[in-house]
Amino acid sequence: MKNKVTILIIASIATLIALSAIQGYLIENAYQLKKKSFIQETDDAISDIDNHPELDSIVDVIGEDLRTNLGDYKNNRISKAEVIRKLRIKGDSVNQSYMERYTKELNAINLGYKIRYKRQLTSIIVYNGQEYDTIFPSAKKQSLTILGENFEDENSHVVKSARTFTEFDFITQERDSVFTTTLDVELKTKDVILIMDWKSIVFRRMASLLIISVLLLLFVVGLLYYSIKNLINQKKITEIKTDFINNITHELKTPLATLSVASKSLKNTEIRNSTEAFDNTLNIVDRQNTRLQKLIDQVLTNSLSAKDIILSKDAVVDNDYFNDLIADFKLSTQQRELSIINKVCPEEVLLRIDTFHFTTALLNILENAVKYGNDQTEITIETSLKSNEYYITISDNGQGIAAQDQSQIFDKFYRVSHGNVHDVKGLGLGLYYTSQIVNAHQGKITVQSELKEGTTFIITIPIN
Ligand code: ADP
């Protein structure tokens, strides 16, 4: 049974982990899709901005300047690096008006979030028939920002890549003659944008999906936890019931066996003829009968909970009450080596208790001290009055109760197990009954114990 429960728990947890992993994978996929569609949506929205005639004319100014510089380069007046430097300077000079216009157009489409934009040059190649001359990129730099804002490439993406061919006339002068050669220039550019806060925008768009997933997962975890807890409880109840049946069978067997022997004895003429033997046997029958009655009463009384118990309270003086209780208990126990130290508080306190139930409750504790005590049992009963609380402390020097059992000894049918050995008789109902009676008196009961040292029960009841 225990193995089955463990396997079930492991299988459930493994399934839960697998389900969570699949859920995580699906969410990651959904996230990628949302991100893609969000980026696409942004790209579509801004695709027409740079076709604006005003922006085009600014770009044309840069192109014109570049062609002049390329002519100078071909005439060996300037180097490739100088062409790029001049291109950058030209870009810088027109950038402000370009960006003002760009921002105006961007505001007009009202995206609802901020973006940063840059246009980068990726290559300039000059063709002369079959020959070509790469002006850019140089070995050092792969791209150069000519227009827009300067930002890191991380998290940005290319909205548009463009490749344009333009012809330009290149004039050379040799001695008195002037030659005009037409060259082709190929320009490659890319438009890059960075969407600010794109992560939080995508997450916001996925919020309902994320919330539902988390709630579902929590629900499944809760359901699993509840089912496993129920299963363990059921298992515990089954064990407790089996224990109880074993205990009660054991408890009933002894008086029944004694009764059977006694009834056989009563048939014996020798016993019948001796008045003493006859009375003795009848006393045994009587005692066993009382014991059986007590057992049945114990089971019946314990089927009631604290709120079902109807108390009939009397006013008793604590000293008298405890003195009588101790005297009666001493008489009823057969253990010879028993000493009871009476430390009942000297001042007289009037207690309002149901004497029958309360006495039975205290007797259960005292009987346990003897049952689970050693050969020389010493019990101390101490009482005190602190503000409106009356404290009854009953300590013994017995075998003690392990820490893990202490919280359970007040549970119905709970008995501390010593393997499978039940050397001490009991049904596990005594302390349950005691706690129910203390609760019915609006009181509290706690236990402090150390194995092999002893046990102390502390009962507090309110004094009005
Ligand atoms: P029962 O005595 O019938 O088993 P109880 O409800 O009276 O049932 O006690 C529950 C368990 O608590 C007992 O089985 C015993 O192991 C433990 N116990 C109770 N009182 C003491 C004590 N004074 N010393 C050691 N163990 C105790």
Side-chain angles (χ1 to χ4, degrees), residues 247 251 298 364-373 394-396 398-402 405 408-418 422 424-434 447 449 454-457:
N247 288 336
E251 290 284 292
Q298 207 185 355
N364 282 345
I365 298 180
L366 294 173
E367 276 163 11
N368 279 349
V370 175
K371 263 163 62 176
Y372 305 104
I394 304 176
S395 325
D396 64 52
Q399 62 193 45
I401 306 165
D405 294 314
Q408 300 177 74
I409 54 167
F410 299 108
D411 292 351
K412 209 175 191 173
F413 304 131
Y414 188 82
R415 303 201 72 211
V416 177
S417 84
H418 303 281
H422 279 300
V424 183
K425 288 176 194 162
L427 297 178
L429 288 171
L431 288 181
Y432 168 73
Y433 173 80
T434 303
V447 65
S449 187
T455 306
T456 303
F457 286 96

